[in-house]
Amino acid sequence: MGLKEEIDAIEEEIANTPYNKSTEAHIGRLKSKLAEKKEKLENQSSAGGGTGYSVEKHGDATVALVGFPSVGKSSLLNSLTNAESETGSYEFTTLDVNPGMLKHRGANIQMLDVPGLIEGAASGRGDGQQVLAVVRNADLIVFVLSVFEIDQYDRLQEELYDINIRVDREPPRVTVRPKIKDGIKITSSTEQELDEGTISDVLRDQGYVNADLNLQENVTIDRLIDGLMDNREYIPSITCVNKVDLIDPEYKETVDEQLRERDLDPEEVTFISAEVERGLDALKDRIWENLGLIRVYMNKPGRGIDWDEPLVIEQGSTVGEAIEKLGGEMEERFRFARVTGPSATHDEQQVGTDHVLEDEDVLKLILRR
Ligand SMILES: Nc1nc2c(ncn2[C@@H]2O[C@H](COP(=O)(O)OP(=O)(O)OP(=O)(O)O)[C@@H](O)[C@H]2O)c(=O)[nH]1
Ligand SMILES: [Mg+2]
């Protein structure tokens, strides 16, 4: 039996085993065996060559457009950015990843037009897996749905899950520290629904013989395995519904209902038309908001405040981190900074490197000569 068949067999057994207290340990073992086999398969296919698709990261953040063929990803990329990605009324017009740069609120946001999701992409059929792999490097996923095919959302989620992308999830609060003796010790800050035997079995299956495991959340088997693996990516997402120019206003209620069935709040979904350029400003704003970035305007000696090209950094960044991003010999020469804006108690507040900046602060660095 090949690896692929073994995986299918385990998946089938999991699907056919009812989940309850008496089967929990068994399912735990199956799931960790599955994780192990999938990892092996993944290593095999990446070792097996193939060009893969890699897109160098540029700009302040990277956003991946993910959707089925013909939903309008390339059209959207073209209307949001300077890119000219080919569009077409047939499926799979785009076959490799096209990047474009979206300039919004002073930030340069790299947008990737990922080719239409191919049936079974994640299980390594065709090139889909390699194509989808570029999504792993994104800071935000934008799901693109056609207004008539909201149900595709489910498949998109599954395909990403299968290539170890966890959408809209925080990393599990699981830490494991291998030791040289004394077996497996489990500590937990919350009550666990899995029993210790199951947890230890999963750990042993993942190769831990002696280890301290600390759990800060009530884990499921899947979350526990995710927490033990370091090849999972946790990426936030937003969803947009394209081609709204094609529907009658009354149909919107049906679409909303289909979104709600998938736990998507219609208020948080952006309705757009890439073709007639509707809803694009709202989408840009949502992209910005969900990237968790802030703008810091630099007040440069002799040149005044640069309002056009802010320094774009992660929310929660300190003055020290801003200096790091600026690079140069600024770090050694730093004496103190003056901040005006939302994070300051008063204009030109004098602060050190620990000061946490906020969106639209103005920052002046006082350096040694
Ligand atoms: N009416 C309408 N048509 C659209 C809209 N967006 C895209 N289209 C059309 O839908 C077709 C597919 O658009 P593409 O942008 O090529 O779709 P894609 O998602 O990049 O498709 P693949 O590259 O095959 O994965 C084209 O004929 C577009 O003109 C829209 O908002 N409204
Ligand atoms: Mg395309």
Side-chain angles (χ1 to χ4, degrees), residues 74 86 94 113:
S74 299
E86 198 187 339
T94 309
D113 172 18

Side-chain angles (χ1 to χ4, degrees), residues 70 72-75 85-88 92-95 98 113-116:
S70 293
K73 299 177 298 300
S74 299
S75 306
S85 187
E86 198 187 339
T87 63
F92 303 118
T93 306
T94 309
L95 289 174
N98 288 308
D113 172 18
V114 181

